[in-house]
Amino acid sequence: MIYTPNPQDKMVITFRRWLEKSAGGGIPWSQECNPEIPLPEYDKRKLFDVWETHTKHCLTCQNALKNINRFKILTYVLAALCLCLGIIIDARTIAIQVATAAVTETATSVSGLALPPLGFWLAVGGAALFAFGGYKLQQLTRLFYVYEFEHADND
């Protein structure tokens, strides 16, 4: 009789007893099976290669990768459009200030140190936000190719 303090251990002990009595002490391997254990893989790029081992053969992951890439391109295009919009808003504001100064014929109303309007800052902020989103999507797509993992870093 074996004392098992954990109920989970009972199934392991039962399985090992079954292997000893019913299976002849171990798993009967086929004669064609090579008993040599392959050498361990030390190259982390090969060890954590998700593309060759999974993504390349998984239709769901391939579709997800396509959609993420499309969304990434969309975020970069929107970032460029927001930046262009901000530049247009700022240039228009400066043109209006210059035209107003020309009509009133005072050079003092056009200030070289004037801050851009709120619309400019919103457009530039949107461009930065979309560019950051595209960068994060790029980081996400890398996980479909290589997913490095260290148990020591698993906190």
Side-chain angles (χ1 to χ4, degrees), residues 103-126:
V103 168
T104 59
E105 297 179 11
T106 58
T108 58
S109 65
V110 179
S111 173
L113 300 176
L115 290 175
L118 178 63
F120 169 80
W121 294 112
L122 291 175
V124 169

Side-chain angles (χ1 to χ4, degrees), residues 55-116:
T55 308
K56 181 178 175 181
H57 309 289
C58 179
L59 187 60
T60 304
C61 288
Q62 289 177 6
N63 288 335
L65 184 61
K66 285 178 190 175
N67 289 334
I68 290 171
N69 283 332
R70 288 178 187 146
F71 193 57
K72 178 182 66 175
I73 291 170
L74 178 66
T75 58
Y76 285 140
V77 167
L78 288 174
L81 287 175
C82 283
L83 187 61
C84 290
L85 179 66
I87 292 171
I88 290 170
I89 289 171
D90 188 41
R92 187 170 180 220
T93 303
I94 292 173
I96 290 172
Q97 287 176 352
V98 169
T100 304
V103 168
T104 59
E105 297 179 11
T106 58
T108 58
S109 65
V110 179
S111 173
L113 300 176
L115 290 175

Side-chain angles (χ1 to χ4, degrees), residues 130-148:
F130 282 123
F132 181 72
Y135 172 72
K136 285 301 191 182
L137 287 172
Q138 177 63 35
Q139 287 181 333
L140 182 63
T141 59
R142 291 181 191 147
L143 297 177
F144 286 92
Y145 296 99
V146 175
Y147 183 69
E148 293 188 20

